[in-house]
Amino acid sequence: MKLSIVSGLKESKNNQEKILNKFSSLCDFLKPLNYDGIELSLLEPEKIEVLRLNEIKESYQLEIPALGTGGTYIRFGYSLGHHEEFMRKKAIERIEKYIEFARETKSKVIIGLIRGRYNFESSAKKEKLNIISSLKECCRLAENNDVILLFEPINQFEIDSYNTISESISLLEEIGSDHLKLLVDSFHTYLEEDPLYIWEYMQNKAHYVAHLHLADDNRRAPGTGHFDFKSFLNIFKNSGYNGFASIEAIMKPSFEEVAKESSEFLKMIM
Ligand code: LER
Ligand code: MN
């Protein structure tokens, strides 16, 4: 299993040199800490000179395993379930930009918060149908560019749809695209799943999973709370999973300390 950590590049605010310098210094810091990659949480991927970014990434022999897309909903309000057609189409257009970028960086694209929250002017049923039809459109774009989409179950306090792993797997089966896989986040697993059944269930469904997010039950660095990371990671390890586990935690006291402590903790338990 490979290790990565989530970071942004502030590409909407910074000029090109600043963006690329930020990426270089991340690589420089993370490589000696045994990281294999950096997951990028982006807002406007098209603002980044992707060929230059690739050169840096390759010079460090690091990967960009996945691109986070949640900022599209948080900052612009565009979502896959949006009841206004204009806003829904905008979300799909934005996903296309991520897919084009991901094709160049050999990354996967996350479908998480971009599903959006249900709007009181609309109905849950309608927005869910919108999510499904938007996702089908995104799958076609992903297939045409040979990029994998990662569908992430997210806890009910952050989003209204597809909070659990089993609901999400049913959706994956309904859509039936070999370019649509599952992202399992330990924090959402802790909040949403029944601890009596989840371990065995995940073991049987591990073949759907193409990416992992790691945060402890307090959403801080793995090892600072009570989540059983050894059992969680062993499920995937024993099923032959050779993808990434990405640290996606509250970066306190600092990104540097979270990166360092997470890597040390995971090395100790694995
Ligand atoms: C949000 O809670 C989360 O886990 C992100 O990965 C969603 O894109
Ligand atoms: Mn996550």
Side-chain angles (χ1 to χ4, degrees):
M1 200 176 300
K2 293 179 277 189
L3 183 63
S4 62
I5 186 164
V6 177
S7 177
L9 295 176
K10 295 201 168 75
E11 73 282 2
S12 296
K13 291 197 177 134
N14 285 339
N15 65 32
Q16 206 56 229
E17 294 318 305
K18 264 199 167 163
I19 296 168
L20 296 171
N21 281 342
K22 162 117 184 149
F23 186 67
S24 292
S25 43
L26 279 171
C27 292
D28 213 46
F29 174 70
L30 294 168
K31 185 73 185 177
L33 297 179
N34 293 319
Y35 281 86
D36 306 288
I38 304 168
E39 176 180 324
L40 293 178
S41 172
L42 301 176
L43 188 60
E44 294 177 291
E46 69 275 24
K47 292 209 169 148
I48 304 170
E49 283 183 26
V50 69
L51 296 179
R52 290 177 70 195
L53 193 83
N54 270 343
E55 273 173 26
I56 300 167
K57 159 179 94 96
E58 276 148 30
S59 73
Y60 283 92
Q61 291 181 302
L62 286 168
E63 293 179 58
I64 300 174
L67 306 179
T69 61
T72 305
Y73 176 61
I74 296 167
R75 306 269 173 241
F76 298 140
Y78 306 148
S79 69
L80 299 180
H82 212 290
H83 63 290
E84 286 173 29
E85 189 61 6
F86 173 79
M87 299 295 272
R88 191 182 73 83
K89 285 282 178 206
K90 276 282 182 193
I92 298 170
E93 273 172 31
R94 295 308 307 154
I95 286 292
E96 187 169 15
K97 296 287 180 203
Y98 287 96
I99 289 174
E100 285 164 1
F101 188 86
R103 183 186 63 211
E104 304 306 319
T105 54
K106 298 190 171 61
S107 314
K108 300 180 173 75
V109 174
I110 299 173
I111 305 290
L113 294 173
I114 195 165
R115 305 200 274 287
R117 299 216 71 151
Y118 291 159
N119 191 290
F120 74 97
E121 289 170 32
S122 180
S123 76
K125 199 173 162 192
K126 205 167 146 216
E127 299 224 353
K128 200 165 185 178
L129 286 173
N130 281 348
I131 292 173
I132 297 170
S133 73
S134 302
L135 197 54
K136 284 181 182 163
E137 283 188 57
C138 294
C139 282
R140 297 298 89 79
L141 295 168
E143 286 157 9
N144 292 341
N145 288 280
D146 201 15
V147 166
I148 300 288
L149 298 182
L150 296 166
F151 192 87
E152 180 176 22
I154 293 178
N155 76 73
Q156 61 188 298
F157 308 107
E158 291 179 62
I159 212 165
D160 308 305
S161 64
Y162 304 102
N163 308 118
T164 64
I165 296 173
S166 63
E167 267 180 292
S168 305
I169 288 180
S170 302
L171 176 69
L172 261 57
E173 283 170 349
E174 180 184 338
I175 292 191
S177 166
D178 57 0
H179 284 67
L180 182 61
K181 300 281 183 190
L182 196 70
L183 190 178
V184 175
D185 183 318
S186 60
F187 179 69
H188 305 311
T189 302
Y190 165 76
L191 285 180
E192 290 292 336
E193 308 294 342
D194 187 333
L196 277 181
Y197 304 105
I198 191 58
W199 306 111
E200 196 184 335
Y201 179 79
M202 274 201 296
Q203 205 157 3
N204 295 327
K205 304 290 184 186
H207 56 281
Y208 283 102
V209 177
H211 196 65
L212 299 171
H213 275 165
L214 305 182
D216 218 317
D217 55 7
N218 50 9
R219 221 172 191 180
R220 300 259 176 137
T224 59
H226 303 95
F227 188 79
D228 183 357
F229 283 99
K230 207 176 163 80
S231 302
F232 180 79
L233 291 169
N234 273 334
I235 288 171
F236 300 101
K237 207 172 150 191
N238 296 338
S239 70
Y241 177 80
N242 58 8
F244 272 85
S246 209
I247 310 297
E248 187 197 46
I250 297 169
M251 299 298 177
K252 282 184 180 170
S254 66
F255 175 85
E256 288 75 12
E257 282 184 64
V258 168
K260 197 165 168 283
E261 282 168 16
S262 302
S263 166
E264 281 166 7
F265 171 74
L266 292 169
K267 209 159 122 191
M268 197 172 69
I269 63 155
M270 289 306 283

